[in-house]
């Protein structure tokens, strides 16, 4: 829904820009024609300029498509710049032929090329404005999507905390090996699990030396299969995190998340596992 809203905003702005530019250019065209002693009607001027600037509508759609495909970062800007080398002269030439058709001017290709060169500065300006508007819309869409994912994650964290708070049965305990000792650890106190071959490293709470950890003889895949998916979710192919123990989240520039746990430990959920996490939680 949010993506469709951004697209609708882009097209609404494009239509507004087209109408405003057409009417403004028609007004100037009538003034120029009157000064040259060849007055034209309002309908004729609007038809002429409307046909001329209508050429930009498919180009605006192409700019938006390129931004959707390549993004609004450096790669997208590079693609838009390279596309301008072809699109701007092409539009100038097409507009020149349109001018000649409406004004009944002859001269063939020589006249058209001359007019196209004269229109190039305006065409460059309009293309730059369209590209800038497209970049602004693409950045807005990205910000909306990032915020939507962040909201989904916060909802998932609240769900996990609620699931632990509603537990009635005694909390499950894990017998964790720590050197020569075996320590019982409530599953609810575990912050995250890390795969270590046929073992799993259990990280929980805080001890005198900082975060406490130990081993259980079980694979991460087998452990995950018996855990509540609303509470424990993958943040990496070798990591399971207790969502109820996430204290803070931060969106990173590459689309991943930094998860800060209650102990102060930090985990990063890549874009792939970020989306898998939300899909698994039904978000």
């Amino acid at each position: 829904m949010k993506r469709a809203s951004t697209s609708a905003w882009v097209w609404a702005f494009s239509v507004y820009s087209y109408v405003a530019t057409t009417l403004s250019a028609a007004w100037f065209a009538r003034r120029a024609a009157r000064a040259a002693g060849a007055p034209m009607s309002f309908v004729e001027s609007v038809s002429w300029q409307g046909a001329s600037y209508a050429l930009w509508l498919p180009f605006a759609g192409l700019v938006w498509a390129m931004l959707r495909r390549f993004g609004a970062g450096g790669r997208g800007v590079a693609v838009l710049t390279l596309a301008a080398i072809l699109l701007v002269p092409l539009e100038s030439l097409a507009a020149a032929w349109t001018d000649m058709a409406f004004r009944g001017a002859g001269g063939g290709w020589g006249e058209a090329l001359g007019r196209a060169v004269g229109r190039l500065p305006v065409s460059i300006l309009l293309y730059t404005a369209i590209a800038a508007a497209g970049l602004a819309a693409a950045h807005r869409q990205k910000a909306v999507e990032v915020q939507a994912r962040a909201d989904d994650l916060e909802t998932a964290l609240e769900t996990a905390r609620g699931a632990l708070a509603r537990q009635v049965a005694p909390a499950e305990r894990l017998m964790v090996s720590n050197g020569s000792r075996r320590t019982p650890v409530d599953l609810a106190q575990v912050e995250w699990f890390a795969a270590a071959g046929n073992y799993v490293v259990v990280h929980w709470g805080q001890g005198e030396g900082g975060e406490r950890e130990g081993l259980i003889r079980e694979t991460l895949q087998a452990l995950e299969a018996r855990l509540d998916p609303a509470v424990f979710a993958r943040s990496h192919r070798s990591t399971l995190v207790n969502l109820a123990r996430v204290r803070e989240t931060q969106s990173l520039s590459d689309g991943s998340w930094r998860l800060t746990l209650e102990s102060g430990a930090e985990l990063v959920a890549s874009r792939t596992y970020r989306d898998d996490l939300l899909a698994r939680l039904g978000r």
Side-chain angles (χ1 to χ4, degrees):
M1 182 63 69
K2 292 184 176 66
R3 176 174 294 184
S5 176
T6 300
S7 296
W9 177 85
V10 169
W11 286 111
F13 181 77
S14 299
V15 171
Y16 160 76
S17 300
Y18 168 69
V19 172
T21 302
T22 295
L23 293 178
S24 299
W27 184 75
F28 279 104
R30 292 188 70 195
R31 289 191 61 186
R34 189 182 302 115
M40 68 175 65
S41 68
F42 173 78
V43 172
E44 183 182 3
S45 65
V46 170
S47 299
W48 174 21
Q49 299 305 315
S52 179
Y53 288 102
L55 298 170
W56 284 109
L57 293 177
F59 286 174
L62 184 58
V63 166
W64 184 238
M66 287 187 290
L67 289 172
R68 292 285 295 271
R69 173 64 179 83
F70 298 102
R75 187 171 63 162
V77 172
V79 170
L80 290 180
T81 303
L82 292 175
I85 298 174
L86 172 64
L87 296 181
V88 170
L90 183 62
E91 190 282 332
S92 295
L93 183 59
W97 279 110
T98 302
D99 291 347
M100 292 168 62
F102 272 87
R103 301 308 292 164
W109 279 99
E111 176 71 13
L113 289 174
R115 287 173 176 264
V117 171
R119 290 184 64 96
L120 272 177
V122 174
S123 295
I124 293 173
L125 177 63
L126 288 174
Y127 181 84
T128 302
I130 290 173
L135 287 167
H139 281 292
R140 177 184 181 276
Q141 176 173 300
K142 182 178 180 181
V144 167
E145 291 176 346
V146 168
Q147 185 59 52
R149 291 194 185 97
D151 291 343
D152 286 342
L153 178 58
E154 287 300 322
T155 300
L157 298 182
E158 288 300 322
T159 299
R161 294 172 188 135
L164 286 185
R166 290 191 300 269
Q167 284 185 349
V168 177
E172 179 181 351
R173 288 191 165 190
L174 301 173
M175 295 305 297
V176 178
S177 298
N178 190 346
S180 59
R181 298 182 301 168
R182 287 171 60 82
T183 305
V185 177
D186 287 346
L187 186 58
Q189 298 301 313
V190 174
E191 288 195 331
W192 57 292
F193 297 102
N198 291 326
Y199 290 85
V200 171
V201 182
V202 183
H203 299 262
W204 77 96
Q206 287 276 6
E208 294 180 359
E211 181 187 17
R212 291 179 289 186
E213 63 179 51
L215 294 174
I216 58 174
R217 187 175 178 81
E218 187 174 7
T219 65
L220 188 66
Q221 184 175 1
L223 177 64
E224 181 183 16
R226 63 185 181 86
L227 296 178
D228 185 351
V231 178
F232 290 92
R234 294 256 185 174
S235 62
H236 186 269
R237 63 184 179 85
S238 60
T239 305
L240 274 172
V241 61
N242 183 345
L243 298 177
R245 298 296 173 189
V246 175
R247 183 184 68 199
E248 182 181 331
T249 65
Q250 180 183 0
S251 296
L252 303 180
S253 59
D254 62 356
S256 60
W257 284 329
R258 178 184 289 121
L259 309 178
T260 303
L261 306 180
E262 291 179 351
S263 66
E266 294 183 345
L267 302 177
V268 174
S270 67
R271 292 179 59 183
T272 299
Y273 285 93
R274 174 204 69 188
D275 294 341
D276 287 347
L277 185 152
L278 292 179
R280 180 176 177 181
L281 297 173
R283 303 293 174 190

